[in-house]
Amino acid sequence: MRINSILLAVLLLAMSHECNAQYYTNQYLSLDGINDFLSTPNQNEINFDSAFTVECWVSVKDTIGSNKVIFSKVNSANTTGCALLLTGSGSSPNNAGRMQLNINGTSNIVLAGGTRLSLNNWNHIAVTFRDGGGVNISDTIRFYVNGAQTASFNRLIEPIVANTDSLRIGNCYLPTLYSNGFSGYIDDLRFYKTRRLPAFISADRGIALGLEGISNIATLNNTRYATLTSAWRFDGNGFDMIGIQNNLFLRNGASFIS
């Protein structure tokens, strides 16, 4: 009973904390912004489709130069897939440090309005997408920073086209092209196959998932994590904690630090 009380206290503290910092201590992914990244082979479950949420913690060192890749599954022809990036000053000076969602390569680019990420501080970010469900029905894209919605877009976008490319974290927006390197740290990255509710994004951002003991993903059904497809805590490795084990592998010097 004492253990349960402690866990409850920790969860309540995490959910009520207001500062823009991680709520827990662990390791995280470190990227130099030059040529390092993480990747995992294609699986259907990590393709973007009619609805999704990507969320993680980031600490950004700089926004100089090209756009900075956080999460990408764009093909080598730059015509299919989707990617979450931070806008670089070399691409759009007035939007440097804002989130950017590229759909079907770079055929549709959506910039998050309002909020720029502060440098050298931990910030929680999220993007949600839901297909309108038919011709001439607007899709909905929403951006969040530290649990608060900062931008919402309703616009006509062609359906996201899936591909068989690898999922890449931190660089390689186009395979073998290292011009979009993210410089800084990434932690607690999660990919959902649904548009998460704003209340869940805000409340759950500071709660570290402890899924090591879950052997059957069906146990998450009927919970707020039912559509969680992959989750990477970066605690010394790139293991996917759920799903069919979309483990991320370090490339070109990416590392995990405390």
Side-chain angles (χ1 to χ4, degrees):
M1 293 299 294
R2 180 175 180 273
I3 293 177
N4 289 339
S5 298
I6 293 174
L7 289 175
L8 178 61
V10 170
L11 291 178
L12 291 175
L13 175 63
M15 295 174 68
S16 62
H17 209 297
E18 294 298 331
C19 69
N20 297 334
Q22 289 179 300
Y23 300 121
Y24 44 86
T25 300
N26 58 12
Q27 292 182 301
Y28 45 86
L29 173 63
S30 177
L31 298 161
D32 65 10
I34 300 174
N35 65 346
D36 53 1
F37 65 103
L38 278 71
S39 66
T40 188
N42 172 68
Q43 299 286 353
N44 287 335
E45 68 173 5
I46 53 176
N47 270 313
F48 293 84
D49 51 26
S50 60
F52 63 80
T53 299
V54 179
E55 60 178 347
C56 64
W57 286 87
V58 295
S59 178
V60 184
K61 290 185 178 180
D62 71 71
T63 56
I64 299 171
S66 299
N67 301 326
K68 316 298 180 182
V69 169
I70 296 174
F71 192 96
S72 173
K73 201 171 185 300
V74 173
N75 69 332
S76 58
N78 196 21
T79 57
T80 65
C82 200
L84 173 63
L85 309 91
L86 292 183
T87 304
S89 60
S91 301
S92 180
N94 293 331
N95 291 298
R98 292 189 173 123
M99 282 182 284
Q100 175 175 321
L101 184 68
N102 289 10
I103 294 175
N104 291 336
T106 51
S107 64
N108 280 288
I109 299 175
V110 182
L111 298 177
T115 300
R116 302 171 188 267
L117 295 187
S118 58
L119 299 182
N120 301 308
N121 291 303
W122 283 105
N123 290 280
H124 183 268
I125 63 173
V127 59
T128 67
F129 172 87
R130 186 178 68 181
D131 192 318
V135 178
N136 296 324
I137 298 177
S138 295
D139 300 308
T140 302
I141 300 166
R142 295 174 180 171
F143 293 91
Y144 299 81
V145 176
N146 297 316
Q149 181 177 306
T150 60
S152 178
F153 301 87
N154 295 98
R155 52 184 288 181
L156 295 175
I157 298 177
E158 73 272 14
I160 297 174
V161 181
N163 59 46
T164 58
D165 264 61
S166 300
L167 171 68
R168 299 175 295 279
I169 310 299
N171 209 322
C172 264
Y173 182 52
L174 302 180
T176 72
L177 179 62
Y178 304 115
S179 62
N180 296 107
F182 177 90
S183 178
Y185 310 124
I186 299 176
D187 201 11
D188 201 28
L189 175 61
R190 306 175 190 179
F191 180 54
Y192 295 82
K193 279 297 188 76
T194 190
R195 185 181 68 178
R196 294 209 85 203
L197 295 176
F200 291 171
I201 291 174
S202 179
D204 296 346
R205 63 194 171 99
I207 302 175
L209 292 179
L211 303 175
E212 296 87 347
I214 295 179
S215 58
N216 181 3
I217 194 63
T219 60
L220 296 181
N221 291 343
N222 301 317
T223 76
R224 62 207 299 165
Y225 299 107
T227 60
L228 179 61
T229 300
S230 290
W232 301 273
R233 285 185 59 181
F234 300 136
D235 284 354
N237 59 63
F239 295 165
D240 175 18
M241 301 178 66
I242 63 171
I244 57 174
Q245 298 302 309
N246 300 299
N247 295 335
L248 291 164
F249 299 94
L250 298 173
R251 311 293 187 192
N252 297 348
S255 62
F256 303 106
I257 63 175
S258 298

